[in-house]
Amino acid sequence: MPEKNVIAIDLGASSGRLISGSFDGGKIALKEQFRFSNQPINLMDSLYWDHLKLFQSIKYGLSIAEKDLQTIESLSVDTWGVDYGFIDHLGKVINAPHSYRDGRSTRHQKEFEQQFPPEEYFFATGVQPDTIDSVMQLFADFKERPYLKNEIDSILFMPNLIEYFFSQEKVNEFTIASTSGLLDGQTRELSSEVFEKLAFEPRWFGEIQKKGRILGKLLPQIRKELGLHSEIEVISGVGHDTAAAVLALPIKEEEKFESGFISCGTWSIVGTQTDLPIVTKQAFEAGLTNEGCYDGGNRLLKNITGLWIVQELQKEWSYQGEMVDFGKMAELAAAAGPAKSYINPNYAAFANPGEMEQKIKDFLRLTGQALPKDRGELLRIIYESLALSYTQTIRLLEENTGKILQRIFMFGGGIQNDLLVQLTADYTQKTIQTGPVEASVTGNIISQLMTLKLLEEKDRVAVLKNSFESQTIQPQLAAKEAASATAAFEKIAETC
């Protein structure tokens, strides 16, 4: 088979990338073509995404990619969840899309919960209530700008909004829509209960698309502007970055319900696949949430504040005149030896930027624990606490699914930290399989290849194993010691 080139546009909450995937029928080769920043913009105490910069940066990246690759078959976009843009009756964007960190949802949280109590919301949607949820953001939008309801023709989630700019076709893809709190917890279609209770219009979102869809060729005016020769297909593939990553895991169909996953990055996402959403009181109280898979299945998971804490420390220390890279951080933590104290990564103060070292020490004082003597001990506390929070969540997943998770797949940039991976194996007492590092990008590419009929589902795992290296890590810590540390962590986590 002649080599085919597709472009994954992977947008994160701090940067965006165009990564090419070259497929020869048996192996995928990745290459970064272009990278650009993507920071939310604070304007008059509101946070927005610069959609115009995103569009322009992607166009520039496409021109670079075609010069390198000669021909491009298709492109598709994956992003973080929950955020969206408004389209008016002329097909134009209404204002810049808000960032999920914008404060307007918090201003209206109490009023929302009066109309839709948290447990009732979970049972309707299968989603844990959070001010970042699309449904809460929309509620706040209409409270502060009620005129919007008359101006809106369509609402598109972020990956679908960007694809619209390149195709002028409007769709909302299932995996990204599943993060919104707008879907029914059982049917996974738009929730009539949500829309009636909050006076939203289902027509704004259209039909929710499952699996991949070719939206059409790249707009001719864009091809002309960039001088492109390729007639690039714009594909709505797997829109949510974590769903894309799960598609990139070499998990056989018969093993997927006994396998867990940990997305290890700024956020840590710990989950497992289930046939149907799990919408029970036990799941609600455990803080578990349900999101969609590319094939229409379900991911039961929990979000944990992840390496954000370490990233904030790095930034803080750089402001003090010393840049400590992530590799050096791991070395310092390894040399420090076992932690004597723990933090709860989901403690509210850790989610906010600034003064992270002081916040950690304040938490340790609050919980009556020993303070670190140096940076190595401080970092060791963080890494062990993350691994222990993963362990606690894995146990909750097993209790709520009735399945014993035999193997845990770790992916994302965090798997380059050997210490964190080994600690996760030690405390979970599970076999850990790592990779790929670029899991979201890989899943994006896989979804395009399947949509173009260049790759069949039955061959997906073989192609992934042929394309990317993976390591298997076994526990080295005795089960009794792991259980003791887990109990001590959970006692701390319960108090704060």
Side-chain angles (χ1 to χ4, degrees):
M1 166 179 153
E3 193 169 75
K4 304 291 186 181
N5 302 307
V6 304
I7 298 291
I9 300 166
D10 179 57
L11 301 181
S14 61
S15 67
R17 303 170 305 159
L18 278 76
I19 308 286
S20 60
S22 299
F23 181 57
D24 63 6
K27 185 176 181 179
I28 298 168
L30 302 183
K31 183 178 181 181
E32 182 173 305
Q33 296 290 342
F34 186 58
R35 180 185 291 264
F36 51 92
S37 67
N38 178 36
Q39 300 288 343
I41 296 171
N42 191 330
L43 176 62
M44 300 176 70
D45 293 327
S46 292
L47 282 178
Y48 301 96
W49 297 113
D50 190 345
H51 62 292
L52 297 177
K53 179 191 173 185
L54 289 175
F55 179 55
Q56 197 67 13
S57 298
I58 294 167
K59 286 194 296 181
Y60 183 68
L62 285 175
S63 69
I64 291 173
E66 194 191 60
K67 287 181 178 67
D68 177 52
L69 302 168
Q70 305 304 314
T71 60
I72 299 171
E73 302 295 324
S74 63
L75 66 82
S76 190
V77 182
D78 68 87
T79 75
W80 65 95
V82 304
D83 288 342
Y84 52 83
F86 297 123
I87 307 296
D88 68 15
H89 298 279
L90 295 175
K92 308 297 183 182
V93 178
I94 305 172
N95 303 324
H98 274 104
S99 164
Y100 61 88
R101 291 189 185 274
D102 181 74
R104 71 200 190 287
S105 297
T106 303
R107 292 194 292 272
H108 298 277
Q109 182 178 5
K110 287 185 179 179
E111 188 177 359
F112 179 90
E113 291 177 350
Q114 287 171 354
Q115 286 191 234
F116 222 149
E119 189 168 347
E120 184 181 331
Y121 169 79
F122 177 78
F123 276 96
T125 65
V127 173
Q128 282 288 334
D130 195 306
T131 54
I132 71 173
D133 292 348
S134 310
V135 66
M136 289 203 192
Q137 292 194 57
L138 284 166
F139 181 82
D141 285 334
F142 298 140
K143 285 295 176 183
E144 297 188 357
R145 295 182 290 164
Y147 59 85
L148 280 172
K149 287 189 175 183
N150 296 322
E151 296 186 8
I152 293 169
D153 177 74
S154 305
I155 300 175
L156 297 176
F157 296 107
M158 284 302 291
N160 306 123
L161 179 69
I162 302 300
E163 289 161 355
Y164 168 69
F165 295 161
F166 287 96
S167 68
Q168 286 190 354
E169 291 294 321
K170 296 181 232 179
V171 301
N172 276 310
E173 185 269 335
F174 171 59
T175 66
I176 198 73
S178 73
T179 69
S180 67
L182 293 165
L183 302 188
D184 187 284
Q186 299 299 331
T187 68
R188 311 311 277 158
E189 302 295 338
L190 294 174
S191 168
S192 56
E193 181 178 353
V194 170
F195 280 74
E196 289 171 10
K197 187 179 287 285
L198 301 178
F200 294 173
E201 296 285 345
R203 63 178 176 80
W204 292 335
F205 295 91
E207 179 186 355
I208 303 301
Q209 164 226 317
K210 294 181 181 177
K211 294 197 173 181
R213 180 187 299 180
I214 297 175
L215 302 180
K217 304 287 187 186
L218 186 72
L219 293 173
Q221 59 266 38
I222 296 177
R223 284 185 63 206
K224 182 178 179 181
E225 176 190 356
L226 302 180
L228 299 177
H229 303 292
S230 304
E231 291 192 345
I232 302 170
E233 299 282 10
V234 180
I235 292 176
S236 176
V238 54
H240 186 222
D241 51 12
T242 308
V246 170
L247 185 62
L249 301 179
I251 303 175
K252 296 177 182 178
E253 180 67 23
E254 62 271 21
E255 297 174 346
K256 69 180 184 181
F257 297 142
E258 285 78 38
S259 300
F261 62 83
I262 301 174
S263 172
C264 197
T266 302
W267 288 89
S268 290
I269 301 170
V270 184
T272 187
Q273 296 180 77
T274 61
D275 187 32
L276 296 169
I278 295 182
V279 187
T280 62
K281 186 175 182 64
Q282 182 183 11
F284 171 70
E285 291 176 348
L288 301 176
T289 197
N290 295 275
E291 295 178 357
C293 294
Y294 176 75
D295 63 1
N298 189 65
R299 291 172 289 133
L300 182 69
L301 55 87
K302 187 170 185 177
N303 292 303
I304 298 167
T305 301
L307 292 170
W308 158 264
I309 298 173
V310 177
Q311 292 163 359
E312 280 294 295
L313 282 177
Q314 185 190 63
K315 182 172 70 174
E316 185 175 322
W317 293 340
S318 72
Y319 290 160
Q320 295 169 7
E322 185 175 359
M323 174 55 74
V324 185
D325 65 36
F326 295 125
K328 181 63 175 177
M329 287 179 161
E331 289 177 13
L332 290 171
K340 301 178 181 65
S341 305
Y342 305 114
I343 62 169
N344 177 3
N346 276 352
Y347 184 60
F350 299 145
N352 299 316
E355 299 182 323
M356 191 60 71
E357 183 170 353
Q358 186 61 49
K359 288 174 183 175
I360 292 169
K361 290 178 179 178
D362 288 344
F363 180 93
L364 297 176
R365 290 189 184 96
L366 180 65
T367 52
Q369 300 182 85
L371 297 179
K373 295 183 177 66
D374 54 34
R375 287 179 176 178
E377 289 190 5
L378 178 69
L379 289 161
R380 184 65 177 240
I381 288 170
I382 297 167
Y383 293 136
E384 290 207 24
S385 298
L386 283 173
L388 286 162
S389 69
Y390 301 161
T391 302
Q392 181 184 45
T393 305
I394 292 294
R395 177 179 57 78
L396 291 172
L397 291 169
E398 290 179 333
E399 290 174 356
N400 280 271
T401 62
K403 303 280 188 182
I404 299 299
L405 301 182
Q406 303 294 338
R407 184 181 296 264
I408 308 299
F409 289 80
M410 288 184 73
F411 56 86
I415 67 171
Q416 296 171 91
N417 184 325
D418 293 340
L419 174 64
L420 179 58
V421 175
Q422 185 61 59
L423 288 169
T424 302
D426 287 345
Y427 288 133
T428 61
Q429 293 288 290
K430 306 280 189 186
T431 298
I432 303 294
Q433 186 166 334
T434 63
V437 173
E438 299 289 4
S440 296
V441 164
T442 303
N444 181 322
I445 288 166
I446 290 283
S447 74
Q448 293 184 65
L449 295 174
M450 292 199 294
T451 302
L452 293 169
K453 311 298 184 187
L454 298 173
L455 174 66
E456 295 186 34
E457 168 59 33
K458 66 181 179 65
D459 299 319
R460 181 183 63 86
V461 171
V463 167
L464 287 167
K465 287 183 175 180
N466 194 35
S467 303
F468 305 103
E469 292 184 2
S470 180
Q471 289 187 317
T472 300
I473 294 88
Q474 301 292 350
Q476 295 179 356
L477 188 68
K480 184 176 180 181
E481 292 179 57
S484 176
T486 301
F489 167 81
E490 290 186 350
K491 185 177 180 180
I492 295 298
E494 284 174 6
T495 62
C496 288

